Amino acid sequence: MTYRVKLEVFEGPFDLLFHLIEKNEVDIYDIPIAEITAQYLQYLEDMRYFDIEVASEFLVMAATLIQIKSRMLLPQQEEDGTEEDIDPRQQLVERLIEYRKYKGITEELKKREDKYQLLLFREPSPVESYVDYEPILINIDISDLCKAFDSVMKRYSSLYNEDTGLERSIRRESITVVDKIKYITNRLRYEKEVLFQSLFGDGETRESIVVTFLAMLELIRLKRIMVEQRNTFGDIIIRNRKTKAGDK
Amino acid sequence: MDKKEFKGIIEALLFVSGDPVSIRDLAGALEIEQKEVMEIIREMKDQYNFERRGIQIIEVDGHFQLATRPEHFEFIQRLYSPQRKQGLSQAALETLAIIAYKQPITRAEIDTIRGVQSDKALYTLSERKLIQEVDRLDTVGRPILYGTTIEFLRYFGFKSIDDLPQLLEEQITYLDENTR
Amino acid sequence: MDKKEFKGIIEALLFVSGDPVSIRDLAGALEIEQKEVMEIIREMKDQYNFERRGIQIIEVDGHFQLATRPEHFEFIQRLYSPQRKQGLSQAALETLAIIAYKQPITRAEIDTIRGVQSDKALYTLSERKLIQEVDRLDTVGRPILYGTTIEFLRYFGFKSIDDLPQLLEEQITYLDENTR
């Protein structure tokens, strides 16, 4: 007769023991050790029958159970005069109880896992769609790039050409950043939005362009203006920074 | 700005982020105190629940995130059929329970409690970022001390690590009372 | 199922999707008529607006999508601002300008123009994905030829790489004419 029972799988000897204790409805503090040991050994037999490799931990526990059983059969020695004997099962019970704590928690975790697996989240919105204030982002723009190129080329040519050095020394101070800040804020007082490009009139000197740009950066830094590029390739627009929270 | 406005902004911020947002970042964006943010979010949570909204605010370790509700999963599945991740094995859950409660803890200690080797379970749990090496013991071999991660909290819906021992302890007391 | 429940589910569906969801799909998931879905969404829109929520439902061609509101834009930016990138150093800026204008170009050429070594600058620019290796010169050591990236174009609002040298040239000529 083939008996085709699916053998329950246990995580370890404690798992199996705990199962046997529950199945037999016995008190964990007063385990009928002979009975439980017999069932435990039977289970190991079944495992062999099903060609399941019996992990060494199961065998160690089997030995422990048999040892406890034999100690319980031995007459109690009272040579040292102690009244109450130490129950040979005590250590095992303690470990079982410790294990049981986590067994309970495991079930709770399983329940929570089932529930929270059903929660779905949202992919983060691409940052670019919210932060395309690129001048704020890294504080450089095309004119910075040109400026940098210009200066490096100047430096480069000055290494080979004395003239440029002379030219630099007679350059005169004209417009200040403060002037340009005034200019920009003034325009923003009357215009809701100012095109970045429109800040540079025809015939603007290079200093003027740089100073205007520095003024703009300063206003961004001071959070006085916002610079916005609505489309990736769109115009750069300067606006007063809205202080929705109410101006103080 | 009134509270309603703040609520709207917080909703927008959490919506855009998708990922958990720290209370610090929220307070920074709103330019108000963290305490105030907490209070507003608490109200929002209640409102969302009361109105049986399609989204809820979940809290993990001082971070907030929008998520759907478990009861709507079925409908979402109809439309998108999201794959449910394979749940953790019994061994992994057991190991995780022990780590959660006893952290920081070495593998040897876990093995002793479980009565079996936990190598494989520890590997799985590390892979899924539910546990991490938090330290090493100052003894021979400097064994690794394991602890749980923020992902662990999120995975099981715990607000913070402090929620955990309490919940576990309650359970143990409950179990003990009901089995003695 | 009551209307509130439907609203919750629609919110959840739109939340998870991110992309616009067609009315047909919504009706399918809810197993109700499209007409009914339309009506519910109309109510939802009104509610969202009335309650000044952080999200709104936008409609495009029979598709629906959740989105934030323009008036919250500023706060969302603030949230992202801690992650703002650092400005580029003068060295990096110079190097970038040379590469933009003279690409493809080797490091040796850049070093010659700048009069100093540009290793660090090149590294930073690569990290920021503003430059890339476009080719290698067919000489001894096969030196790398650097060029700018698509990110670089996007960043500065150029439509194509062809616009770039021209534009730069114009600007520089313009600068030069007005300062000399």
Side-chain angles (χ1 to χ4, degrees), chain A residues 82-112:
Chain A
T82 41
E83 262 300 295
E84 65 269 89
D85 332 289
I86 291 168
D87 193 325
R89 298 172 296 184
Q90 191 182 323
Q91 207 202 353
L92 179 69
V93 170
E94 276 167 9
R95 290 189 65 188
L96 267 171
I97 285 168
E98 175 79 352
Y99 174 75
R100 191 187 58 182
K101 281 186 196 173
Y102 303 104
K103 186 102 176 116
I105 297 153
T106 302
E107 280 157 25
E108 170 69 15
L109 288 182
K110 183 79 210 147
K111 264 185 250 158
R112 279 182 166 264

Side-chain angles (χ1 to χ4, degrees), chain A:
Chain A
M1 189 167 70
T2 52
Y3 88 116
R4 304 175 60 87
V5 184
K6 192 165 174 279
L7 200 63
E8 241 186 290
V9 178
F10 294 97
E11 285 304 324
F14 287 128
D15 197 19
L16 171 54
L17 265 183
F18 197 57
H19 166 79
L20 295 177
I21 288 163
E22 282 195 323
K23 200 182 82 177
N24 290 282
E25 293 178 347
V26 295
D27 184 353
I28 195 164
Y29 292 96
D30 189 19
I31 300 168
I33 205 79
E35 181 58 29
I36 294 293
T37 303
Q39 290 183 21
Y40 185 93
L41 294 173
Q42 181 58 50
Y43 181 80
L44 297 196
E45 273 305 307
D46 292 347
M47 280 173 83
R48 285 208 188 87
Y49 181 85
F50 281 98
D51 266 340
I52 297 169
E53 198 192 334
V54 179
S56 60
E57 293 97 345
F58 284 92
L59 300 175
V60 171
M61 178 58 77
T64 308
L65 287 171
I66 291 163
Q67 196 198 9
I68 293 170
K69 196 175 103 180
S70 59
R71 274 174 63 195
M72 290 192 70
L73 292 172
L74 285 176
Q76 304 298 330
Q77 293 173 348
E78 290 172 47
E79 55 198 40
D80 58 351
T82 41
E83 262 300 295
E84 65 269 89
D85 332 289
I86 291 168
D87 193 325
R89 298 172 296 184
Q90 191 182 323
Q91 207 202 353
L92 179 69
V93 170
E94 276 167 9
R95 290 189 65 188
L96 267 171
I97 285 168
E98 175 79 352
Y99 174 75
R100 191 187 58 182
K101 281 186 196 173
Y102 303 104
K103 186 102 176 116
I105 297 153
T106 302
E107 280 157 25
E108 170 69 15
L109 288 182
K110 183 79 210 147
K111 264 185 250 158
R112 279 182 166 264
E113 182 187 41
D114 286 344
K115 180 182 167 193
Y116 284 94
Q117 287 255 324
L118 301 181
L119 262 60
L120 296 166
F121 302 93
R122 194 177 168 271
E123 287 292 310
S125 301
V127 179
E128 308 90 69
S129 53
Y130 290 95
V131 187
D132 46 15
Y133 284 12
E134 309 216 307
I136 284 190
L137 245 190
I138 35 180
N139 288 349
I140 54 168
D141 87 336
I142 178 74
S143 73
D144 264 350
L145 203 63
C146 294
K147 197 179 70 171
F149 184 74
D150 195 42
S151 73
V152 72
M153 291 311 283
K154 276 233 163 62
R155 214 173 55 222
Y156 174 57
S157 54
S158 72
L159 289 174
Y160 306 95
N161 187 346
E162 297 299 324
D163 293 349
T164 47
L166 189 73
E167 191 248 350
R168 220 177 310 153
S169 64
I170 55 162
R171 198 169 292 158
R172 65 187 197 289
E173 265 277 345
S174 47
I175 313 142
T176 66
V177 174
V178 175
D179 289 336
K180 281 293 179 190
I181 287 177
K182 277 187 194 151
Y183 170 69
I184 295 171
T185 45
N186 216 25
R187 276 193 59 182
L188 280 169
R189 196 165 295 152
Y190 301 105
E191 298 166 52
K192 208 167 140 229
E193 296 178 345
V194 172
L195 272 184
F196 171 68
Q197 289 86 333
S198 76
L199 290 176
F200 308 100
D202 290 337
E204 199 96 353
T205 64
R206 186 177 66 156
E207 280 91 343
S208 170
I209 291 169
V210 171
V211 166
T212 301
F213 194 72
L214 288 176
M216 195 183 78
L217 291 183
E218 188 61 15
L219 286 167
I220 291 169
R221 202 182 62 77
L222 294 171
K223 297 195 171 164
R224 296 273 297 280
I225 62 168
M226 292 173 62
V227 180
E228 184 180 341
Q229 193 178 20
R230 283 175 190 153
N231 313 307
T232 308
F233 300 114
D235 288 331
I236 296 170
I237 293 155
I238 299 169
R239 283 194 282 134
N240 271 318
R241 193 175 176 87
K242 269 187 226 140
T243 37
K244 272 258 181 84
D247 294 333
K248 277 139 255 165

Side-chain angles (χ1 to χ4, degrees), chain C:
Chain C
M1 217 184 305
D2 64 0
K3 211 181 244 180
K4 212 172 195 172
E5 186 68 17
F6 281 133
K7 286 180 185 170
I9 298 166
I10 291 174
E11 187 173 62
L13 292 171
L14 296 180
F15 173 80
V16 169
S17 163
D19 294 324
V21 183
S22 74
I23 184 129
R24 203 173 52 90
D25 283 348
L26 289 174
L30 293 167
E31 294 175 343
I32 56 173
E33 294 294 313
Q34 294 191 14
K35 211 177 62 196
E36 215 175 328
V37 176
M38 269 311 293
E39 198 190 303
I40 293 170
I41 288 186
R42 204 164 298 129
E43 274 185 35
M44 287 173 75
K45 279 184 177 180
D46 288 346
Q47 275 177 356
Y48 283 21
N49 290 335
F50 181 72
E51 293 164 18
R52 290 189 280 142
R53 294 265 308 269
I55 49 179
Q56 59 176 332
I57 300 180
I58 53 170
E59 183 176 349
V60 181
D61 198 31
H63 288 66
F64 299 91
Q65 186 174 16
L66 288 182
T68 53
R69 292 172 187 281
E71 59 264 40
H72 294 146
F73 194 78
E74 187 187 333
F75 296 95
I76 296 166
Q77 283 191 318
R78 274 193 218 162
L79 182 69
Y80 281 122
S81 62
Q83 295 155 19
R84 261 179 219 164
K85 285 177 192 155
Q86 290 272 302
L88 290 173
S89 66
Q90 185 61 24
L93 208 54
E94 276 180 21
T95 307
L96 184 61
I98 294 165
I99 295 172
Y101 192 59
K102 299 243 173 197
Q103 61 188 306
I105 184 170
T106 64
R107 200 190 65 191
E109 291 173 288
I110 298 167
D111 288 352
T112 307
I113 295 174
R114 291 191 58 224
V116 284
Q117 299 237 321
S118 309
D119 312 54
K120 217 180 136 243
L122 286 171
Y123 177 76
T124 308
L125 295 169
S126 295
E127 278 284 285
R128 299 268 182 94
K129 300 203 191 320
L130 293 167
I131 63 163
Q132 62 189 343
E133 178 182 334
V134 287
D135 203 353
R136 278 183 185 260
L137 214 58
D138 219 1
T139 60
V140 184
R142 298 187 42 71
I144 295 170
L145 285 164
Y146 291 97
T148 53
T149 60
I150 291 177
E151 280 79 12
F152 168 82
L153 292 179
R154 249 180 45 77
Y155 184 89
F156 287 100
F158 295 121
K159 283 199 182 67
S160 89
I161 201 103
D162 299 328
D163 286 358
L164 187 63
Q166 236 177 330
L167 262 169
L168 278 171
E169 194 145 32
E170 274 167 27
Q171 284 236 359
I172 288 158
T173 317
Y174 175 81
L175 282 173
D176 281 354
E177 277 167 7
N178 286 280
T179 46
R180 292 265 153 115

Side-chain angles (χ1 to χ4, degrees), chain B residues 2-175:
Chain B
D2 65 0
K3 214 180 239 179
K4 213 171 195 172
E5 184 70 16
F6 281 133
K7 285 178 185 171
I9 298 166
I10 291 175
E11 188 172 63
L13 293 174
L14 295 181
F15 176 82
V16 166
S17 163
D19 292 326
V21 183
S22 74
I23 180 127
R24 201 175 52 92
D25 285 350
L26 289 174
L30 292 167
E31 294 175 345
I32 58 174
E33 293 294 314
Q34 294 191 14
K35 213 177 63 196
E36 214 176 327
V37 176
M38 269 310 294
E39 197 191 303
I40 294 169
I41 289 185
R42 205 165 297 133
E43 274 185 34
M44 289 172 73
K45 279 183 176 180
D46 288 346
Q47 276 177 357
Y48 283 22
N49 289 335
F50 182 73
E51 293 164 17
R52 289 189 280 140
R53 294 266 307 269
I55 50 178
Q56 60 176 331
I57 300 180
I58 60 163
E59 182 178 347
V60 181
D61 199 38
H63 289 66
F64 298 91
Q65 186 175 20
L66 290 180
T68 58
R69 291 174 188 280
E71 59 263 37
H72 293 147
F73 185 81
E74 184 196 332
F75 297 96
I76 297 168
Q77 209 169 24
R78 280 191 207 160
L79 198 52
Y80 309 113
S81 50
Q83 292 295 310
R84 282 185 67 171
K85 257 205 233 155
Q86 175 117 45
L88 293 168
S89 70
Q90 187 65 23
L93 281 170
E94 243 181 57
T95 307
L96 193 54
I98 293 166
I99 295 172
Y101 191 57
K102 290 255 180 186
Q103 58 189 311
I105 185 172
T106 64
R107 200 191 66 192
E109 291 173 286
I110 299 167
D111 289 353
T112 305
I113 294 172
R114 293 190 60 224
V116 285
Q117 300 239 320
S118 307
D119 315 51
K120 217 180 131 240
L122 285 171
Y123 178 76
T124 310
L125 293 170
S126 294
E127 277 285 287
R128 296 182 74 157
K129 302 209 192 312
L130 296 168
I131 60 164
Q132 61 189 344
E133 179 182 332
V134 286
D135 204 352
R136 282 185 181 257
L137 212 57
D138 218 1
T139 60
V140 183
R142 297 187 44 74
I144 295 171
L145 285 165
Y146 292 98
T148 53
T149 60
I150 290 181
E151 175 58 20
F152 162 78
L153 296 177
R154 208 192 58 77
Y155 190 82
F156 292 101
F158 294 115
K159 261 187 217 165
S160 83
I161 203 86
D162 296 331
D163 275 4
L164 190 63
Q166 233 175 348
L167 171 107
L168 297 175
E169 233 140 24
E170 271 164 30
Q171 274 228 345
I172 291 154
T173 319
Y174 172 82
L175 274 173

